[in-house]
Amino acid sequence: MKELVEKIKAEIVDFQVNAEAQVEKGNKAAGARARKAALELMKDLKEFRKVSVEEAKK
């Protein structure tokens, strides 16, 4: 679970960097990378929720 949390943190940073580049500099490629990072982040957050619920049941 710790590895999953670290992965989520890295994806958040990746999203922030690319989203800022799109908003502030108008970088279209950064927008695409930010959207991709958002999708990966959603998947990992769902996985975290699943693992977290299982851990709480123990």
Side-chain angles (χ1 to χ4, degrees), residues 12-57:
I12 289 171
V13 169
D14 189 37
F15 170 78
Q16 288 175 325
V17 167
N18 287 305
E20 283 182 23
Q22 180 189 17
V23 171
E24 294 178 7
K25 299 176 184 175
N27 186 333
K28 291 181 182 179
R33 290 190 301 269
R35 290 189 296 276
K36 183 178 177 183
L39 288 174
E40 288 298 317
L41 189 56
M42 263 187 359
K43 289 178 191 176
D44 288 336
L45 288 171
K46 287 179 183 180
E47 181 65 23
F48 173 79
R49 184 176 185 278
K50 180 180 166 184
V51 171
S52 179
V53 168
E54 288 178 14
E55 288 289 321
K57 289 180 181 178

